[in-house]
């Protein structure tokens, strides 16, 4: 992610914080819980894209799934901003660690 994208995520986190009646610690907890809700929406969209709900049929497209996945990513990044003092560094370090663990060296 570039700095412009991180700034947008920071602005979203600030906007959510301003609209909340909860103290910061509870906002962190609720943001993390929001991930589960968003993941459920991904599952619903996949089921809909595959037409596996007999009551709803083909209710979603793969573009809908992509949108829901983006919501998961945004929600996770906002949570990361709320729980870590340097979210870009934390993300970069963790991504590099995962890559070292699973990808062949180039």
């Amino acid at each position: 992610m570039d700095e412009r994208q991180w700034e947008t995520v920071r602005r979203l986190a600030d906007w959510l914080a301003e609209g909340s009646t909860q103290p910061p610690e509870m906002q962190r907890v609720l943001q993390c819980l929001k991930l589960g809700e968003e993941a459920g929406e991904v599952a619903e969209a996949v089921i809909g894209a595959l037409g596996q709900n007999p009551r709803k049929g083909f209710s979603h497209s793969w573009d809908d799934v992509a949108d829901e996945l983006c919501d998961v990513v945004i929600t996770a990044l906002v949570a990361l901003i709320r729980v870590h003092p340097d979210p870009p560094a934390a993300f970069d370090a963790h991504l590099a660690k995962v890559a070292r663990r699973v990808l062949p060296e180039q």
Side-chain angles (χ1 to χ4, degrees), residues 17-76:
E18 290 166 9
S20 178
T21 60
Q22 299 298 315
E25 187 64 26
M26 183 55 71
Q27 289 179 33
R28 285 184 213 140
V29 170
L30 292 171
Q31 189 69 36
C32 291
L33 293 175
K34 180 75 173 163
L35 276 169
E37 178 187 342
E38 295 296 343
E41 292 176 14
V42 171
E44 179 182 8
V46 169
I47 290 166
L50 295 173
Q52 292 303 297
N53 183 333
R55 190 172 49 82
K56 295 181 180 179
F58 288 90
S59 58
H60 291 76
S61 68
W62 288 105
D63 284 340
D64 295 326
V65 174
D67 287 345
E68 296 299 344
L69 287 167
C70 289
D71 286 346
V72 169
V73 171
I74 292 165
T75 301

Side-chain angles (χ1 to χ4, degrees), residues 9-26:
V9 175
R10 283 186 194 95
R11 289 178 56 215
L12 288 168
D14 290 345
W15 175 77
L16 287 166
E18 290 166 9
S20 178
T21 60
Q22 299 298 315
E25 187 64 26
M26 183 55 71

Side-chain angles (χ1 to χ4, degrees), residues 86-104:
D86 190 353
F91 181 77
D92 290 345
H94 191 74
L95 181 61
K97 182 171 75 172
V98 170
R100 281 191 306 273
R101 186 174 66 229
V102 301
L103 296 177

